[in-house]
């Protein structure tokens, strides 16, 4: 069982930055693929960014060049650095874990609200 706790959300003006953190339980964090997802009101949850055990990253087209996902295995933590924020980035952001063997994101955090004002 993997527990995930997000932090770092808040209210920011358009053009500003925020850094989200997600701390995971478990002794094998370095082997997990980790991802960030978001869900805006009235919309489906969508993929934002992912990072695998080797550090390879992937991004949704809407955030590429503005957001950066990273991980610190010594701290069991994954980060999402969000720059040049836009009002359309407003959503609840969720952290997710895919421990090996990879079967998809089986574990989810409780979410953290990000609100970008225009």
């Amino acid at each position: 069982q993997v527990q995930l706790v997000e932090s770092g959300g808040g209210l920011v003006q358009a053009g500003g930055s925020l850094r989200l953190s997600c701390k995971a339980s478990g002794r094998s964090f370095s082997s997990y693929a980790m991802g960030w997802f978001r869900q805006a009101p009235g919309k489906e949850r969508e993929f934002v960014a992912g990072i695998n055990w080797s550090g390879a990253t992937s991004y949704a087209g809407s955030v590429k060049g503005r957001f950066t996902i990273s991980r610190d295995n010594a701290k069991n933590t994954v980060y999402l650095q969000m720059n040049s924020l836009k009002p359309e980035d407003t959503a609840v952001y969720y952290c997710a874990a895919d421990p090996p063997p990879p079967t998809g994101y089986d574990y989810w955090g409780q979410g953290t609200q990000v609100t970008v004002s225009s």
Side-chain angles (χ1 to χ4, degrees):
Q1 192 78 340
V2 178
Q3 293 183 324
L4 304 171
V5 179
E6 301 104 332
S7 60
L11 174 64
V12 64
Q13 287 189 330
S17 298
L18 280 175
R19 189 176 81 155
L20 305 183
S21 300
C22 172
K23 188 167 178 64
S25 64
R27 288 179 283 183
S28 303
F29 174 78
S30 61
S31 67
Y32 302 171
M34 299 295 297
W36 286 98
F37 292 75
R38 67 187 181 187
Q39 187 167 20
K43 294 190 176 181
E44 296 286 320
R45 187 176 297 187
E46 64 175 359
F47 171 80
V48 174
I51 186 167
N52 73 4
W53 64 271
S54 70
T57 59
S58 58
Y59 297 93
S62 60
V63 306
K64 205 165 189 178
R66 299 189 297 123
F67 291 10
T68 302
I69 188 171
S70 61
R71 66 192 301 158
D72 184 337
N73 291 333
K75 296 182 178 180
N76 275 25
T77 300
V78 64
Y79 304 98
L80 185 68
Q81 178 67 44
M82 305 185 294
N83 298 330
S84 303
L85 282 161
K86 304 175 182 180
E88 51 264 45
D89 295 317
T90 295
V92 177
Y93 283 70
Y94 297 91
C95 172
D98 179 17
T103 57
Y105 291 103
D106 294 324
Y107 300 96
W108 295 82
Q110 81 288 352
T112 186
Q113 177 70 47
V114 171
T115 303
V116 184
S117 63
S118 56

